[in-house]
Amino acid sequence: CKLLHNRPMIASILPEAGLAIIVGTLASFIIRLVVKPAEVSSEDADVVDIAANQVLTFSSTTFFVALLPPIIFNSGYQLKMELFLEDFTPIVSLACVGTAISAVVVSLLLQVMVGAGFTGDFVPSFSEILTFGALISATDPVSTLAVFQTRKVDPRLFYLVVGESVLND
């Protein structure tokens, strides 16, 4: 982002990932305003809804075939293999065992919350809670890595987090 690189004061307050979220939110808000149907006849309303739906969404196939492979390729290409292989055992431990432990702990805590009645009428099954725990535990540490890059942390710590992220992806 040129905006952040040319203005270090803004970069010290707002990380690049935060700016990306703000830009995406503003873009979606503008698209919603522009695409919003204004006094459309009933036979044209379906056409407008279909057009708005196509502008505001894309299929999961597009994501998995067109967008995700370049992201994973870029991560692997920029990875310094010697640092990755040097810490391969802790990286695999974090990616597999650490994520599994995190998923179970999150699931058990959620089960306690459901048992205590904090979810109201919504009572998910334990398999649904485990699925949610696995989903939450395998998040991508983009913002953490952005902070690590700006703060110039120890390369070993950086590659532990990057390696775990690459293996989880």
Side-chain angles (χ1 to χ4, degrees):
C1 255
K2 287 280 189 188
L3 176 70
L4 291 178
H5 295 296
N6 294 338
R7 294 174 181 84
M9 187 171 139
I10 294 175
S12 69
I13 298 170
L14 181 67
E16 192 170 340
L19 182 64
I21 290 171
I22 291 170
V23 168
T25 303
L26 289 174
S28 65
F29 181 71
I30 290 169
I31 289 172
R32 284 274 185 200
L33 288 177
V34 170
V35 176
K36 186 176 180 180
E39 294 188 28
V40 179
S41 64
S42 62
E43 63 266 1
D44 291 336
D46 291 337
V47 174
V48 171
D49 287 342
I50 291 170
N53 215 7
Q54 289 177 345
V55 168
L56 297 174
T57 61
F58 62 91
S59 70
S60 60
T61 303
T62 303
F63 177 75
F64 285 113
V65 172
L67 298 176
L68 190 59
I71 294 169
I72 294 174
F73 175 76
N74 184 39
S75 296
Y77 185 73
Q78 291 184 352
L79 192 69
K80 291 187 173 118
M81 198 55 114
E82 62 276 355
L83 290 173
F84 178 76
L85 292 176
E86 183 179 305
D87 292 319
F88 187 72
T89 303
I91 288 171
V92 170
S93 298
L94 286 171
C96 299
V97 179
T99 302
I101 290 171
S102 176
V104 169
V105 168
V106 167
S107 300
L108 291 174
L109 289 173
L110 287 174
Q111 185 63 40
V112 168
M113 303 271 295
V114 169
F118 287 121
T119 58
D121 293 337
F122 178 65
V123 182
S125 67
F126 191 65
S127 63
E128 292 171 329
I129 290 174
L130 278 173
T131 303
F132 180 77
L135 177 75
I136 287 298
S137 297
T139 57
D140 197 27
V142 173
S143 56
T144 304
L145 292 174
V147 170
F148 281 4
Q149 279 185 326
T150 55
R151 300 289 182 222
K152 306 285 186 219
V153 299
D154 179 31
R156 184 167 189 225
L157 174 62
F158 182 80
Y159 275 96
L160 281 172
V161 175
V162 168
E164 187 271 340
S165 172
V166 168
L167 289 181
N168 266 339
D169 285 346

